[in-house]
Amino acid sequence: MLYIIGLGLSDEFDITLRGLNAIKTCERVYLEAYTSILMVEKEKLEALYQKNVIVADREMVETQSDEILKDADKINVAFLVVGDPYGATTHTDLVIRAEELGIQVKAIHNASIMNAVGCTGLQLYNFGQTISMVFFTESWRPDSWYDRVKENSNLGLHTLCLLDIKVKEQSVENLVRGRLIYEPPRYMTTNQAIDQLLEIEQSRNEKAYTEDTLAVAVARVGSDSQKLASGTLKQLLTTDMGGPLHSLVLVGKRLHIMEAEVLRKFAVGLEEFNRVLVSEYNVK
């Protein structure tokens, strides 16, 4: 059996009892470590599981899946995913490969940012398409996500923005030269995401959002240091949310008064927040 096990959002204790019991039956345990991260070291997972944990980077998962799936038709193998098992398309690809080899697959679900974002007070029913924001480079500034945001905006729906992380990544120069030298880890902040959002709006000028669009900056959801901040994009551009991981929500115009009441509790500037609620969202 191949178990794909969600670990939840924060630390080693977020795993479900079902997931923990499954790990105890496994001969090999892999930790996917590039679509997201837990806020603890793998050694803490090993201490709880009493198993050696193999860190699986992007290269291993995408090009060495045969190694992960080796003998999984005869023994139990665990593939651990931060959040929920199906939070990234890569994990679906691994399931397809396993099933093609006749390996049984069982997913054990857990909380992910896709549902935990409800901590903002925004109703999950009122969210549209989720987008991913990648780090811009000098030569690559993709904006394909803009159309999804605009579609959500036209329907008055909220948009969850998942922010890029770079773990065990090579520079273009080292990649071209075939040098296995990796860049230090980088985690996109809400400040960087907003800066990129505003840059693309300026170039596209289709009014999917503006500096006065309300948003919620979200950091370290599910941990004891969780932080939320609501305000306009202009206000949140300079709001320090601390360490990773960050996410951002663009608030849709169909904002309900109950949602607005919750957002007021962590507004970075209540007077400006209330002004925009009335002028842009027609909420008093």
Side-chain angles (χ1 to χ4, degrees):
M1 177 84 72
L2 171 68
Y3 286 101
I4 301 189
I5 302 173
L7 297 182
L9 292 164
S10 180
D11 59 27
E12 71 271 30
F13 299 114
D14 283 351
I15 191 170
T16 64
L17 289 175
R18 186 185 299 274
L20 183 58
N21 287 336
I23 288 173
K24 290 179 179 178
T25 72
C26 293
E27 294 194 25
R28 295 198 310 277
V29 180
Y30 296 91
L31 172 63
E32 187 265 273
Y34 66 90
T35 60
S36 190
I37 58 165
L38 277 184
M39 299 175 205
V40 294
E41 307 80 13
K42 81 176 182 79
E43 287 75 17
K44 290 192 175 182
L45 303 182
E46 292 175 326
L48 178 64
Y49 306 157
Q50 297 184 335
K51 296 276 185 178
N52 180 52
V53 174
I54 304 164
V55 175
D57 59 18
R58 181 186 297 274
E59 182 180 359
M60 173 178 281
V61 176
E62 295 185 349
T63 66
Q64 301 174 33
S65 62
D66 289 347
E67 183 65 27
I68 296 173
L69 298 175
K70 183 180 179 182
D71 297 328
D73 56 335
K74 305 180 185 69
I75 62 173
N76 287 342
V77 175
F79 185 75
L80 312 182
V81 179
V82 176
D84 186 78
Y86 292 112
T89 54
T90 299
H91 312 139
T92 303
D93 185 58
L94 185 65
V95 169
I96 292 171
R97 295 186 199 185
E99 291 175 342
E100 287 175 347
L101 294 171
I103 297 168
Q104 275 191 291
V105 179
K106 184 175 182 61
I108 300 178
H109 296 282
N110 209 321
S112 76
I113 189 62
M114 301 288 282
N115 55 21
V117 72
C119 68
T120 60
L122 298 174
Q123 296 296 314
L124 297 180
Y125 295 108
N126 293 335
F127 277 78
Q129 303 166 88
T130 297
I131 67 162
S132 295
M133 293 284 294
V134 300
F135 282 109
F136 284 177
T137 68
E138 288 300 318
S139 59
W140 190 55
R141 309 177 92 74
D143 65 355
S144 58
W145 46 264
Y146 184 91
D147 295 322
R148 308 288 80 77
V149 176
K150 187 177 179 183
E151 289 168 3
N152 290 345
S153 178
N154 289 341
L155 293 171
L157 300 174
H158 314 313
T159 301
L160 171 61
C161 308
L162 304 178
L163 309 188
D164 201 5
I165 71 172
K166 297 290 188 187
V167 179
K168 202 176 179 183
E169 296 275 344
Q170 292 175 272
S171 67
V172 174
E173 181 183 354
N174 286 329
L175 190 62
V176 169
R177 295 177 181 274
R179 296 184 299 210
L180 291 178
I181 300 173
Y182 299 101
E183 300 292 294
R186 290 192 296 152
Y187 307 97
M188 184 181 286
T189 65
T190 52
N191 315 98
Q192 291 169 313
I194 293 169
D195 187 57
Q196 294 185 181
L197 280 162
L198 294 176
E199 176 185 323
I200 297 302
E201 178 55 56
Q202 186 175 21
S203 65
R204 294 280 294 259
N205 195 30
E206 298 176 32
K207 299 296 187 289
Y209 48 85
T210 71
E211 285 188 341
D212 276 344
T213 294
L214 291 178
V216 188
V218 179
R220 300 173 301 284
V221 172
S223 74
D224 291 338
S225 65
Q226 174 177 302
K227 182 176 180 178
L228 307 174
S230 62
T232 65
L233 286 175
K234 184 177 181 180
Q235 288 176 307
L236 295 177
L237 181 60
T238 55
T239 300
D240 183 5
M241 296 299 292
L245 295 170
H246 292 189
S247 300
L248 183 72
V249 180
L250 301 177
V251 177
K253 291 293 180 68
R254 284 167 54 183
L255 180 70
H256 190 276
I257 189 170
M258 289 179 61
E259 294 176 299
E261 282 302 312
V262 178
L263 295 183
R264 281 189 173 105
K265 294 179 181 179
F266 42 86
V268 296
L270 189 55
E271 183 177 347
E272 175 66 3
F273 184 87
N274 285 331
R275 181 193 70 78
V276 173
L277 270 183
V278 175
S279 64
E280 303 292 330
Y281 290 77
N282 199 30
V283 175
K284 297 182 179 179

